[in-house]
Amino acid sequence: MNNPIPNSETAFYVFDIDRLLQRAAYLKKMLPERVELCYAVKANTFIIGEFIGKIGRFEVCSPGEAEICTALGVDDKDMVISGVYKTPSVIEKMVAEHDGRIYTVESLTQFEMLRSLSEKYDRILPVLLRLTNDSQFGMDSGEIKNIIAERSKYKNLDIHGLQFFSGTQKTSIKKLKREVCKLDELLTLLREEYGFESKELEYGSGFPVAYFEGEDTDEEELLKGFSDIIDSMQNKVKIVLELGRSMAACCGSYYTHIVDIKHNKGQNYILIDGGMHHLVYFGQHMAMKQPIFSVCGKENKPNTAEWNICGSLCSMNDIVAKQVPLPDVSIGDLLCFENTGAYCMTECISLFLSREIPAVYLKKADEYQLVRKSFETSALNMPNIERK
């Protein structure tokens, strides 16, 4: 008999690990053999440990993420230290440890820092040169060409190849093809003009996730089309596919209780003990789209009225859904929002109004494990005043 949903007095998250690992296995099956999966840990840090030994790499973008990965047992050699800003003292400590991590290069400043540290500690550092997507991230192709052309000067930097990421929720095979072809052409140029043989290409494909009713992407067709693009590349380098949302979103559910019901000027309102400080979907647009959710225990009941679902923040923006048909509802009913395993909580305005941060459960084979209790944020928001 399956264990019931955790009995929590306030909102909480559940991350289904079986579903998470099934998702990773499905992606591996659908992609070419030379594609290795890399998890972008910013999507959800609570599931990092479950991926150890199941995927190739973990993309780390901050000192905090690196600390979490280390604490959870991620091997140093499986970490890619990325990020538009790399804290110099943290990077120096990593280099001094001679840990085997791979470092991305976002700028000439970062390149010089890594070069200097590699010489100071006499370490061979593996690096990836990040190509810009015409934003603040990465370097332009001219800077990359100059680094490759003069690579003999940097004997302690082992340039593995390129990194590129341009956005998320990509549903267009044509866009993916344009990006991969652009990268393939640059790799060819670097080989033919500078004799540089790239060992790998790390690429953030930004595969889409269906967050709202009516969104329909033929994922099997998308993955097959993407695989064909990879197979047609002139450069048969190792592909490291950086994914966050696409791997983690499906494993998450967010549960929140109805705490009040009201009717104002012909409109029906449900108030919940959560809201936009817990629940963030990419492309939410002030509840102009309907998220995929249900009333627990009433999934098969007929709908009887339309409701606006609002959170517990004192903000006009705290609207989760508008005019959604629901069955008869009561105070105390539990709502379950799907596909909340990626970014949902990490991108929220958690400290707004000093409300508590929800508990987190991992679900494995129908067993629920509490991995973080809910806690109040009031202490975090309180000024650090020295008392006499």
Side-chain angles (χ1 to χ4, degrees):
M1 182 176 177
N2 292 351
N3 284 353
I5 295 170
N7 183 18
S8 175
E9 293 182 359
T10 57
F12 59 97
Y13 303 103
V14 172
F15 302 127
D16 188 323
I17 303 307
D18 292 339
R19 187 180 297 175
L20 175 73
L21 297 181
Q22 287 169 8
R23 174 64 180 171
Y26 172 75
L27 289 170
K28 285 182 182 179
K29 182 184 74 171
M30 294 297 293
L31 295 167
E33 286 188 12
R34 66 188 175 105
V35 174
E36 178 181 279
L37 296 183
C38 173
Y39 176 55
V41 303
K42 62 180 177 285
N44 183 337
T45 55
F46 288 96
I47 60 177
I48 292 171
E50 309 301 327
F51 271 142
I52 295 175
K54 307 293 194 308
I55 63 168
R57 284 192 194 160
F58 298 82
E59 189 87 6
V60 175
C61 291
S62 74
E65 289 181 354
E67 185 178 349
I68 292 168
C69 284
T70 298
L72 292 174
V74 177
D75 196 299
D76 292 337
K77 66 178 175 55
D78 294 332
M79 293 189 210
V80 180
I81 307 302
S82 192
V84 68
Y85 172 61
K86 294 178 173 65
T87 309
S89 60
V90 174
I91 300 301
E92 180 162 6
K93 184 175 183 296
M94 288 181 178
V95 173
E97 291 171 350
H98 190 40
D99 50 34
R101 297 178 177 98
I102 298 174
Y103 300 86
T104 67
V105 177
E106 291 262 1
S107 68
L108 296 180
T109 303
Q110 287 189 9
F111 184 81
E112 177 57 28
M113 176 178 67
L114 291 168
R115 183 204 62 76
S116 177
L117 290 173
S118 71
E119 294 179 0
K120 178 179 178 179
Y121 292 97
D122 193 23
R123 309 296 196 199
I124 303 298
L125 301 184
V127 298
L128 293 167
L129 306 180
R130 181 167 183 174
L131 178 67
T132 186
N133 62 337
D134 301 326
S135 70
Q136 74 270 36
F137 299 104
M139 303 178 290
D140 65 37
S141 59
E143 291 174 328
I144 289 176
K145 291 174 190 176
N146 289 338
I147 290 173
I148 295 297
E150 299 184 351
R151 66 190 182 280
S152 61
K153 298 179 181 179
Y154 316 118
K155 297 187 183 301
N156 283 12
L157 295 184
D158 181 7
I159 302 174
H160 276 208
L162 304 180
Q163 183 197 49
F164 183 77
F165 178 79
S166 67
T168 190
Q169 295 293 80
K170 295 176 195 166
T171 59
S172 170
I173 282 290
K174 290 182 179 179
K175 179 175 176 60
L176 291 167
K177 185 174 183 178
R178 282 197 303 270
E179 290 184 351
V180 173
C181 287
K182 175 183 175 182
L183 294 166
D184 197 20
E185 289 170 3
L186 180 56
L187 290 173
T188 298
L189 183 149
L190 295 176
R191 185 183 71 250
E192 293 179 349
E193 293 194 12
Y194 305 103
F196 175 72
E197 292 288 348
S198 181
K199 298 176 184 177
E200 66 178 74
L201 168 64
E202 183 180 307
Y203 176 59
S205 59
F207 291 148
V209 170
Y211 286 127
F212 306 104
E213 296 287 354
E215 290 184 340
D216 185 21
T217 299
D218 188 334
E219 186 177 47
E220 188 170 333
E221 181 179 345
L222 183 73
L223 292 175
K224 184 180 182 305
F226 180 74
S227 297
D228 290 342
I229 293 169
I230 296 300
D231 287 337
S232 66
M233 287 179 66
Q234 188 175 14
N235 295 275
K236 305 303 180 184
V237 298
K238 173 183 177 181
I239 305 295
V240 179
L241 198 63
E242 181 207 347
L243 299 172
R245 192 182 309 275
S246 180
M247 278 205 281
C250 69
C251 81
S253 299
Y254 169 68
Y255 294 87
T256 181
H257 307 80
I258 296 176
V259 294
D260 203 355
I261 291 175
K262 60 173 67 175
H263 312 277
N264 289 343
K265 301 210 170 187
Q267 293 286 315
N268 299 319
Y269 291 93
I270 286 173
L271 281 299
I272 56 177
D273 60 0
M276 69 177 184
H277 56 314
H278 298 167
L279 183 66
V280 169
Y281 288 114
F282 185 90
Q284 200 157 334
H285 302 310
M286 282 287 294
M288 296 303 291
K289 300 178 182 178
Q290 182 181 327
I292 301 169
F293 77 103
S294 61
V295 183
C296 296
K298 298 183 178 180
E299 294 87 351
N300 298 319
K301 300 286 186 182
N303 297 324
T304 57
E306 292 186 343
W307 294 87
N308 300 305
I309 302 176
C310 303
S312 53
L313 301 181
C314 292
S315 169
M316 295 287 288
N317 297 326
D318 196 6
I319 305 172
V320 175
K322 291 181 179 179
Q323 296 297 312
V324 292
L326 294 175
D328 289 339
V329 291
S330 305
I331 293 176
D333 281 350
L334 190 62
L335 306 182
C336 175
F337 291 83
E338 303 294 341
N339 289 341
T340 59
Y343 298 104
C344 178
M345 58 178 177
T346 56
E347 290 188 343
C348 290
I349 50 174
S350 302
L351 299 186
F352 187 46
L353 284 181
S354 298
R355 288 195 171 272
E356 70 175 20
I357 295 177
V360 175
Y361 294 85
L362 298 186
K363 181 187 177 194
K364 302 180 184 180
D366 296 320
E367 296 287 336
Y368 291 89
Q369 175 188 0
L370 178 65
V371 294
R372 188 188 69 188
K373 295 180 180 179
S374 61
F375 65 89
E376 300 293 338
T377 63
S378 53
L380 299 177
N381 280 346
M382 197 176 298
N384 186 16
I385 300 173
E386 185 176 338
R387 300 183 184 276
K388 295 182 179 179

